[in-house]
Amino acid sequence: MRYDESSPPSPESASSISPDRPWYARRSTLVVAAAAIAPACLAGWVLTEVLGGGASDDSRPPRIVMPLSASAALPSASASGGPSGSPSASPAGSPAGGPAAAPAPGASPGGTAPAAANALAGRTVVIDPGHNTGNFQHTTEINRQVDIGSNRKECDTTGTTTNSGYMEAEFSMDVSKRLRAVLEAKGLKVVLTHEAGKARPFGPCIDERARIGNEAAADAVVSVHADGVSAGSRGFHVILPAKVKGGGADTAKIIEPSRQLGERIAGNFARTTGSAPANYLGSGTGLVVRDDLGGLNLSTRPKVFIECGNMRDAKDAAQLSSPEWRQKAAQGIADGIVGFLGG
Ligand code: ZN
């Protein structure tokens, strides 16, 4: 219901997490300064996590992976060392991973590269609108099991809805098309994994969704979703691939660039929408790692999912149902992608 697959997460992904800096520790000095001025934004997220304890009301335990200390959210954390992993693993050449990557004052939080146009030329982004409005009428087809490398899962799921019936599949398609328009205006080539309708009465299956990104040689892939957990659980989170190897899955090469992509998107999404990172998982970082999503496991390109909010919470649902808010969401995701690509 919540994601494209349904088995409970295993604890193994937690051990695969590098002691990375949180995404906001890498943001520009401008943003950090703004956060210091407005502690209700940044510090508030941390407090939310501490008070919330990460408990989920959903039947599935959350997969929390970004260890967070209160000090990590301090602006001074931006000067701390880089990640312990690969220093420059991003195929996009994103400089975000290294200590020398501190952005210049006044730099856009979405990116620091000066040659923006060149950085985006010839680049491809694949957008994956989560679920399909037709899935409800094709339960047999979408329940077919497919190989996700480490396991077998349903081809696709119906997704969730708001209490008033606004479907996650409608939401994800709307945001995806808005996102496509923003990215195309930047000169990027954009591929949607599907546009529902007659050409795609259901699905695609999650393995095909991954394959579309791979075959497009996408420089970045984003799967757009909204969550469906109980009222009171609010905010967005970005899902990053765990280290998975088995069958057709081998995520080793995409883990670090996907993290960089996810951090960029989380930071920009928070900025454009005003939404806070989820208060029910992710330790207040807005970042979660999972190893049970075929769409991530089978990807060979930098890829993340974004859960833009909780459709079952009235306040989040009001935002998700607003075209104006969805445009801000698309803008934030786009800014994150563009920043990741160095534009
Ligand atoms: Zn979903």
Side-chain angles (χ1 to χ4, degrees):
M1 193 75 169
R2 291 171 58 198
Y3 305 111
D4 61 347
E5 294 140 73
S6 59
S7 75
S10 71
E12 76 180 65
S13 66
S15 64
S16 71
I17 306 314
S18 64
D20 207 346
R21 282 182 295 160
W23 54 266
Y24 44 71
R26 295 182 188 162
R27 298 167 71 192
S28 75
T29 51
L30 193 63
V31 171
V32 170
I37 294 168
C41 298
L42 189 56
W45 300 339
V46 177
L47 286 173
T48 297
E49 164 54 26
V50 170
L51 296 172
S56 171
D57 295 322
D58 191 70
S59 58
R60 299 168 52 201
R63 177 163 308 202
I64 298 171
V65 292
M66 288 285 288
L68 177 71
S69 64
S71 61
L74 297 176
S76 61
S78 64
S80 65
S84 60
S86 53
S88 184
S90 171
S94 168
S108 161
T112 59
N118 289 342
L120 301 182
R123 312 297 285 279
T124 299
V125 175
V126 169
I127 304 168
D128 178 37
H131 314 281
N132 184 322
T133 52
N135 281 357
F136 284 101
Q137 284 79 46
H138 294 272
T139 53
T140 301
E141 292 93 334
I142 67 169
N143 284 333
R144 179 172 69 85
Q145 298 280 298
V146 299
D147 187 355
I148 66 163
S150 58
N151 205 338
R152 292 182 69 79
K153 289 290 182 62
E154 296 89 352
C155 153
D156 205 10
T157 53
T158 58
T160 188
T161 68
T162 66
N163 291 335
S164 61
Y166 181 48
M167 294 168 63
E168 179 189 356
E170 295 177 87
F171 168 83
S172 66
M173 184 62 71
D174 181 86
V175 171
S176 293
K177 289 182 176 178
R178 293 173 186 273
L179 175 55
R180 176 173 63 184
V182 175
L183 293 175
E184 286 182 342
K186 291 276 190 178
L188 287 159
K189 179 184 178 184
V190 179
V191 176
L192 260 59
T193 58
H194 75 100
E195 295 194 46
K198 290 182 180 178
R200 284 285 186 181
F202 62 90
C205 293
I206 53 177
D207 55 345
E208 184 180 358
R209 291 173 187 264
R211 192 161 57 244
I212 291 169
N214 297 345
E215 293 180 350
D219 295 289
V221 188
V222 177
S223 190
V224 179
H225 291 256
D227 214 346
V229 294
S230 63
S233 295
R234 295 199 61 195
F236 72 89
H237 66 281
V238 175
I239 306 173
L240 314 175
K243 188 171 185 179
V244 173
K245 187 172 175 61
D250 185 357
T251 60
K253 292 181 180 176
I254 67 163
I255 288 177
E256 180 56 26
S258 297
R259 174 173 291 278
Q260 293 177 13
L261 172 64
E263 289 174 345
R264 294 277 190 173
I265 290 175
N268 282 283
F269 189 89
R271 178 178 56 82
T272 60
T273 63
S275 288
N279 65 4
Y280 57 97
L281 77 182
S283 300
T285 63
L287 300 172
V288 173
V289 174
R290 290 179 57 168
D291 65 3
D292 63 324
L293 298 177
L296 294 180
N297 290 359
L298 299 173
S299 181
T300 61
R301 315 303 302 174
K303 181 172 182 178
V304 300
F305 281 38
I306 181 165
E307 298 281 356
C308 295
N310 174 19
M311 299 198 97
R312 295 292 186 175
D313 177 84
K315 291 179 180 175
D316 270 14
Q319 294 179 325
L320 297 164
S321 302
S322 159
E324 292 77 18
W325 190 91
R326 292 196 297 269
Q327 186 63 34
K328 294 177 183 176
Q331 185 67 52
I333 298 169
D335 288 349
I337 293 169
V338 168
F340 171 73
L341 296 176

